[in-house]
Amino acid sequence: MKLVRHGARGAERPGILDADGRVRDLSAHVSDISGTTLTTHGLQALRVLDPETLPLVHGIPQQDLRLGPCVAGVGKFIGVGLNYADHAAEAGMDVPTEPILFTKWTSCITGPDEDLHLPKGSTATDWEVELGIVIGDGGQDIAQNQAHRHIAGFCVINDISERDWQLRQGGTWDKGKGHDGFGPIGPWLVTLDEIPDPRALRLWLAVDGHRYQDGTTATMVFGPEEIVSYASRFTTLHPGDVIATGTPPGVGMGQKPPVYLRSGQVMELGIDGLGQQRQRVV
C-alpha cells in the first residue's frame, strides 16, 4: 500500500493510492495516517479494503492535489549520521562502528513539495536525500532479527541541514537539523511488503537540474533492522516515529569548494519505489 495525507496544510485527510496512482479517501475508515493506524493490526484493517470502492479525490497528486507529510503526529524524528561509507569518506570522517543518532525536532516536518524558507542568517543550508523508516508496532530493546516486525514502511526524506549551526556553533547537531521546513517527508508511505529489499534502492538528488547525489542504499553501513534495534536500546519506539537513515555522497558540504542552497533554486529528489519530492528555495 501507498498511504498519503492530502489536502490543505493543517487540514490533511488520510488517503491511499489506487492502481492508477490516484488518491482515494480513507476518512471513513481512519482519522489519519498516524499512531494505531500504522500498527500491524491497523494496517491489516486497511489491506482488506478495495481502493476502487473508496471515494476518489479530485486532482493529480503532487500536481493539482497537495500532499502533506505522509505521517501525522510524529512523536520522535531520529536521524542517523555518516551511515554511508562513501559519504563518511567525502566528509573526511571515519566510518562509524555503531550508529550515530541525533534528533530532528518534529516541528521541522513538512510536506514533500513545500517551499524551503532559508533561515535568517543561514550561510550553509545543505541537502541530504535519505531513506526514511516509519515505525509500526512500538517497542524497546527490539532484537535485530525481529526489527522488521516493527517497521510499518518507508518514505523519502530530505534531511535538510544548516552546516554552520550543525558543526561550528557549539558542536551540537540538533540545532542545524531541526529548523522549520528542514524535514520534508513523503510523498507517500510505502508499506514494508512492497519493498522486498531496502538495501537495494537507488536514491538521488538534483539542484536546478544538476544531479549531486546518485547512490544506493547498498552502501549503508547499518541497515534498517540494525538501526531500529539499536535505537530501541535508548528510547522506546512508538507507532508513527520516523527514522532518517543517512545519505549517500554528493552533499553540498562535500563539494570542492562547498556549494550551499540559494534563494530561487529548486531541489528534486527521489528513491526507487518511494516517489519524488520537489522543494523551491525562497
Side-chain angles (χ1 to χ4, degrees), residues 139-158:
Q140 188 177 38
D141 292 321
I142 297 167
Q144 185 174 319
N145 65 1
Q146 296 296 311
H148 65 284
R149 300 179 181 272
H150 296 263
I151 297 174
F154 300 96
C155 64
V156 181
I157 294 176
N158 191 353

Side-chain angles (χ1 to χ4, degrees), residues 3 5 42 52 75 87 113 115 127 145 158 174 191 193-194 212 224 236 264 272 280-281:
L3 302 175
R5 300 177 65 250
E52 302 302 322
H87 173 53
D113 305 309
D115 289 349
W127 56 82
N145 65 1
N158 191 353
D174 296 355
T191 51
D193 57 294
E194 292 201 12
Y212 284 96
T236 299
D272 285 352
R280 183 172 62 100
V281 184

